[in-house]
């Protein structure tokens, strides 16, 4: 079956052509095939082209895409396109555009302008940062990732040794880089830096502690916040703004205590034009020495205070009579001043009624289980009784609600239970700033959760741990790269109101296809969904164009 064109000559010498749908049938008498007209489309110059297009489309439904393309190529002179490859584009494009919007490319190019490498150091650093944010892997695995899996603007392939050299170069400019990035980000986002949140975490190494050289001053065993005290680790600090943007990171030996780092943090932030800074820190930093350090040069602090510390001033604050002021749903505050003159200390006692009820119910369930355990002791023999009683007495949760009589019998300590009720749904905050309202103090301290969120992102989404680097400079550079990735991720989350995990999944659907023909190569991106386009618009950055590159053959 085919389209048949017939023509006739008119008296005036012109020619009129007609189009027909025909197929050949064998004529046994004439001994040859004759055309049989199935349908006449009419004169060629008056034909309705849409009729032919609908016919082609209806026929194409019964063909494979390859057969349909071959059929079209056979009819006309259209060049055949081959689909060569596809790379993920969306996530890397978004990070690249934000990288440029902040000015990180210009900062790095200026810092490395006198250093000549085969590949741009700035592009190598961006590739490692993008890898942390999109698909964390080793430097060796990044070779295939850049070459075959993701489109990195300005970088088609890379070697692992190039990446390691770029890490070494990055560490040499760390101090100036951090300062310039802070200035660029604070100007771009109008960051509020009157409150800075600081906390530490630890990250371990998958290596036997006995295999670590004695002269290794960074990887040490210490208190592990990852619950891996059997492994060596480093301690990492983050300073975060009230918007949750990390402005600086630190790395210390794994056996460093929280109490010993405040002085360095304070000194490192001098000259950053932060203005009046109120440092917000958790209970691990509340030594009197640290608090004096935070008040240098007119600074102030908001810190958590251990309610059961045994300090005279803390006990006085907890026992102070007075009514709570309701400031928000499930948030009540009581402003307390203890002492006079230089010994004067200001506390804010915060009460959450909903959390208090949860504490009461949890303790009730615990006491019921404990009573069942005590009842079971009566049925045990002497030796078994002694072992079970010791287990209960030393239990980290049950033990504080038990008391032992002179004959060795265990009983519920009702006074301990009544004492615990005093702390239900409460936490105590200490501040040196008298100009802040009790509500601002409470809300400022509650936002310390942003630092915890940042650490959670570092350890899960960006896969900071476990670390396999051995050299100290590589360890520090690895953490610096993770901080840069965290900076981009938190800016994106803050501006869009979406989690990076959800955004990354959506952006991974944007691909870049490579098509080739006899006439050249075309690089075309997939069509954006409304949700994807909204993400780019919200961040104020350009979405990837439909055709990223067209290379005609010479």
């Amino acid at each position: 079956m085919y389209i048949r064109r017939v023509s006739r000559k008119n008296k005036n010498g012109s020619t009129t052509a007609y189009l027909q749908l025909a197929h050949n049938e064998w004529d046994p008498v004439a001994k040859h095939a004759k055309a049989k007209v199935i349908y006449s489309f009419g004169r060629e110059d008056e034909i309705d082209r849409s009729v032919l297009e609908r016919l082609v489309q209806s026929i194409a439904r019964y063909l494979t895409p390859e057969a349909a393309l071959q059929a079209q190529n056979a009819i006309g002179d259209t060049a055949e396109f081959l689909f060569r490859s596809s790379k993920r584009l969306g996530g890397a494009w978004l990070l690249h555009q934000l990288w440029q919007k902040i000015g990180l490319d210009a900062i790095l190019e200026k810092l490395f302008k006198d250093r000549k490498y085969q590949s741009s150091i700035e592009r190598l650093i961006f590739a490692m940062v993008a890898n942390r944010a999109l698909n964390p892997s080793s430097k060796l695995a990044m070779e295939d990732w850049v070459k075959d899996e993701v489109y990195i603007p300005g970088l088609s392939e890379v070697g692992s040794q190039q990446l390691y050299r770029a890490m070494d170069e990055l560490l040499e400019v760390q101090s100036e880089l951090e300062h310039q990035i802070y200035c660029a980000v604070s100007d771009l986002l109008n960051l509020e830096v009157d409150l800075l949140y600081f906390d530490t975490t630890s990250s371990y190494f998958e290596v036997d502690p006995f295999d670590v050289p004695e002269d290794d001053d960074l990887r040490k065993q210490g208190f592990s916040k990852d619950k891996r005290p059997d492994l060596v680790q480093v301690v990492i600090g983050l300073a975060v703004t009230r918007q949750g943007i990390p402005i600086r990171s630190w790395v210390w030996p794994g056996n460093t205590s929280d109490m010993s780092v405040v002085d360095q943090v304070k000194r490192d932030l001098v000259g950053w034009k932060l203005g009046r800074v109120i440092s917000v820190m958790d209970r691990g930093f509340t030594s009197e020495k640290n608090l004096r350090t935070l008040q240098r040069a007119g600074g102030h602090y908001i810190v958590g205070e251990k309610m059961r510390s045994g300090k005279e001033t803390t006990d006085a604050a907890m026992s102070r009579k007075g009514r709570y002021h309701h400031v928000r749903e499930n948030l009540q505050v009581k402003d307390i001043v203890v002492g006079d003159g230089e010994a004067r200390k200001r506390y804010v006692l915060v009460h959450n009624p909903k959390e208090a009820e949860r504490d009461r119910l949890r303790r009730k369930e615990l006491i019921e289980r404990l009573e069942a355990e005590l009842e079971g002791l009566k049925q045990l023999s002497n030796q078994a009784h002694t072992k079970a009683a010791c287990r209960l007495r030393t239990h980290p949760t049950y033990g504080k609600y038990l008391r032992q009589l002179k004959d060795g019998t265990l009983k519920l300590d009702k006074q301990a239970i009544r004492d615990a009720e005093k702390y239900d749904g409460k936490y105590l905050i200490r501040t040196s700033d008298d100009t802040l309202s009790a509500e601002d103090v409470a809300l400022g301290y509650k936002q310390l959760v942003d630092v915890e969120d940042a650490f959670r992102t570092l350890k899960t989404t960006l896969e900071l741990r476990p670390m396999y680097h051995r050299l100290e400079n590589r360890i520090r550079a690895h953490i610096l790269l993770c901080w840069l990735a965290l900076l981009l991720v938190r800016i994106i989350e803050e501006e869009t109101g979406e989690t990076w995990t959800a955004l990354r999944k959506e952006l991974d659907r944007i691909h870049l296809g490579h098509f080739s023909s006899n006439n050249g190569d075309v690089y075309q991106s997939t069509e954006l969904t409304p949700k994807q386009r909204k993400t780019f618009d919200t961040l104020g950055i350009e979405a990837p164009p439909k055709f990223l590159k067209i290379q005609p053959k010479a």
Side-chain angles (χ1 to χ4, degrees):
M1 191 175 295
Y2 56 95
I3 297 293
R4 180 170 180 250
R5 183 178 185 275
V6 294
S7 60
R8 66 177 177 81
K9 195 168 185 179
N10 301 317
K11 292 181 180 181
N12 60 6
S14 63
T15 301
T16 302
Y18 298 85
L19 295 182
Q20 302 168 339
L21 180 64
H23 75 96
N24 291 336
E25 288 186 351
W26 180 258
D27 188 339
V29 177
K31 303 296 182 181
H32 62 80
K34 291 185 178 180
K36 181 178 180 180
V37 176
I38 299 174
Y39 180 81
S40 178
F41 292 101
R43 288 177 51 165
E44 183 180 31
D45 57 345
E46 297 176 352
I47 195 74
D48 185 358
R49 297 285 176 179
S50 63
V51 174
L52 295 178
E53 291 172 0
R54 288 195 299 270
L55 178 61
V56 170
Q57 292 172 0
S58 63
I59 294 173
R61 288 203 303 267
Y62 298 94
L63 302 177
T64 64
E66 294 86 353
L69 182 61
Q70 290 174 1
Q72 292 176 15
N73 290 339
I75 293 173
D77 296 329
T78 304
E80 181 180 2
F81 275 92
L82 298 178
F83 187 5
R84 294 291 185 185
S85 63
S86 175
K87 288 185 174 184
R88 291 192 296 274
L89 171 67
W93 181 270
L94 180 75
L95 293 170
H96 167 70
Q97 291 292 315
L98 182 59
W99 182 269
Q100 290 188 323
K101 182 178 180 179
I102 296 173
L104 296 180
D105 56 336
I107 291 172
L108 287 168
E109 286 171 358
K110 183 177 180 180
L111 291 173
F112 296 126
K113 64 180 180 180
D114 297 328
R115 311 184 194 199
K116 305 298 181 182
Y117 280 87
Q118 185 177 0
S119 298
S120 165
I121 301 179
E122 180 270 332
R123 285 291 84 191
L124 295 173
I125 292 172
F126 170 75
M128 289 187 282
V129 170
N131 178 257
R132 283 289 112 192
L134 298 171
N135 186 28
S137 65
S138 68
K139 302 302 176 283
L140 184 61
M142 273 191 66
E143 294 182 357
D144 291 336
W145 185 70
V146 171
K147 183 179 179 182
D148 302 321
E149 298 179 32
V150 67
Y151 175 77
I152 301 293
L155 191 69
S156 58
E157 58 183 28
V158 69
S160 58
Q161 292 306 315
Q162 291 176 300
L163 298 174
Y164 285 124
R165 286 196 296 271
M167 290 176 70
D168 296 339
E169 296 284 0
L170 177 65
L171 201 61
E172 291 186 15
V173 299
Q174 177 180 359
S175 180
E176 182 62 25
L177 173 67
E178 288 176 328
H179 188 209
Q180 289 197 33
I181 289 177
Y182 162 74
C183 294
V185 173
S186 60
D187 290 343
L188 177 67
L189 303 180
N190 293 319
L191 291 183
E192 297 178 31
V193 292
D194 56 330
L195 286 180
L196 283 184
Y197 302 88
F198 177 81
D199 204 353
T200 65
T201 189
S202 57
S203 189
Y204 60 84
F205 295 77
E206 290 286 3
V207 60
D208 191 320
F210 292 102
D211 294 335
V212 178
E214 292 184 3
D215 60 350
D216 191 322
D217 295 327
L218 192 62
R219 296 182 297 173
K220 300 288 185 181
Q221 283 183 288
F223 175 73
S224 175
K225 298 185 180 182
D226 291 324
K227 296 180 174 58
R228 291 303 304 268
D230 56 314
L231 298 176
V232 292
Q233 63 180 21
V234 293
V235 173
I236 302 167
L238 275 184
V240 178
T241 69
R242 67 162 71 210
Q243 297 103 319
I245 307 299
I247 62 169
R248 181 152 184 174
S249 65
W250 289 264
V251 184
W252 295 287
N255 58 358
T256 304
S257 68
D258 286 348
M259 293 290 190
S260 62
V261 302
V262 175
D263 188 53
Q264 181 184 343
V265 172
K266 184 74 175 179
R267 281 188 282 105
D268 287 347
L269 293 177
V270 170
W272 275 36
K273 298 179 181 179
L274 297 175
R276 173 176 170 270
V277 174
I278 303 174
S279 302
V280 185
M281 298 187 177
D282 209 344
R283 291 187 294 256
F285 302 92
T286 54
S287 72
E288 294 300 323
K289 179 182 177 182
N290 280 347
L291 297 183
R292 286 194 297 271
T293 300
L294 292 174
Q295 284 186 277
R296 289 177 189 167
H300 286 283
Y301 61 77
I302 298 174
V303 296
E305 187 73 79
K306 295 178 181 178
M307 293 187 292
R308 296 178 176 88
S309 64
K311 295 180 182 178
E312 184 178 345
T313 53
T314 302
D315 292 340
M318 291 299 300
S319 61
R320 181 66 59 87
K321 302 294 183 180
R323 298 182 61 181
Y324 287 98
H325 298 282
H326 183 86
V327 293
R328 290 194 181 185
E329 184 180 4
N330 293 315
L331 183 64
Q332 301 174 1
V333 298
K334 185 193 297 185
D335 211 339
I336 302 166
V337 175
V338 177
D340 298 304
E342 293 185 0
R344 182 181 184 276
K345 294 181 176 64
R346 183 189 179 197
Y347 294 92
V348 174
L349 184 59
V350 184
H351 181 235
N352 184 330
K354 191 173 182 180
E355 186 63 31
E357 179 63 16
R358 281 197 291 264
D359 289 343
R360 187 188 67 81
L361 292 175
R362 281 194 291 262
R363 187 173 52 257
K364 180 182 177 182
E365 293 176 1
L366 186 148
I367 297 301
E368 288 173 354
R369 292 196 301 269
L370 181 54
E371 288 175 333
E373 291 278 355
L374 291 174
E375 186 65 28
L377 289 179
K378 299 176 182 179
Q379 305 171 14
L380 300 176
S381 61
N382 289 336
Q383 186 176 2
H385 179 280
T386 302
K387 288 183 178 180
C390 289
R391 178 178 57 81
L392 282 178
R393 190 76 181 89
T394 58
H395 193 280
T397 304
Y398 292 152
K400 58 187 177 182
Y401 297 119
L402 289 171
R403 64 188 181 94
Q404 193 168 27
L405 303 181
K406 291 181 180 180
D407 61 357
T409 306
L410 294 180
K411 295 194 69 173
L412 282 176
D413 189 340
K414 294 185 178 180
Q415 183 59 47
I417 296 174
R418 286 192 294 270
D419 290 341
E421 292 173 353
K422 300 176 183 177
Y423 302 100
D424 286 351
K426 297 176 183 176
Y427 55 92
L428 187 63
I429 307 170
R430 182 175 167 185
T431 181
S432 62
D433 194 329
D434 290 332
T435 65
L436 290 174
S437 68
E439 178 182 4
D440 287 340
V441 173
L443 294 177
Y445 185 74
K446 280 174 67 69
Q447 286 181 297
L448 192 60
V449 72
D450 287 335
V451 186
E452 296 171 357
D453 286 343
F455 284 135
R456 194 175 298 111
T457 301
L458 271 178
K459 293 183 177 183
T460 55
T461 308
L462 306 182
E463 296 186 18
L464 170 73
R465 63 180 186 193
M467 289 187 281
Y468 298 93
H469 295 288
R470 179 177 58 84
L471 300 177
E472 178 176 333
N473 63 331
R474 297 280 168 78
I475 295 169
R476 293 183 181 276
H478 171 76
I479 294 171
L480 188 57
L481 290 169
C482 289
W483 167 70
L484 286 169
L486 177 65
L487 174 69
L488 297 180
V489 166
R490 291 298 294 123
I491 290 174
I492 293 169
E493 290 180 331
E494 175 69 18
E495 294 292 305
T496 62
E498 300 275 351
T499 67
W500 175 243
T501 302
L503 286 173
R504 183 173 60 183
K505 184 177 179 181
E506 182 67 28
L507 293 168
D508 271 347
R509 298 189 177 103
I510 305 175
H511 277 240
L512 180 67
H514 174 198
F515 303 88
S516 68
S517 73
N518 294 333
N519 297 326
D521 294 271
V522 174
Y523 295 83
Q524 182 177 349
S525 62
T526 53
E527 291 292 329
L528 299 185
T529 65
K531 185 175 181 180
Q532 291 165 350
R533 191 169 294 282
K534 181 182 177 183
T535 299
F536 288 102
D537 292 342
T538 301
L539 289 167
I541 58 180
E542 292 184 7
K546 183 173 183 178
F547 294 100
L548 216 65
K549 188 165 49 174
I550 298 177
Q551 292 179 318
K553 284 193 176 178

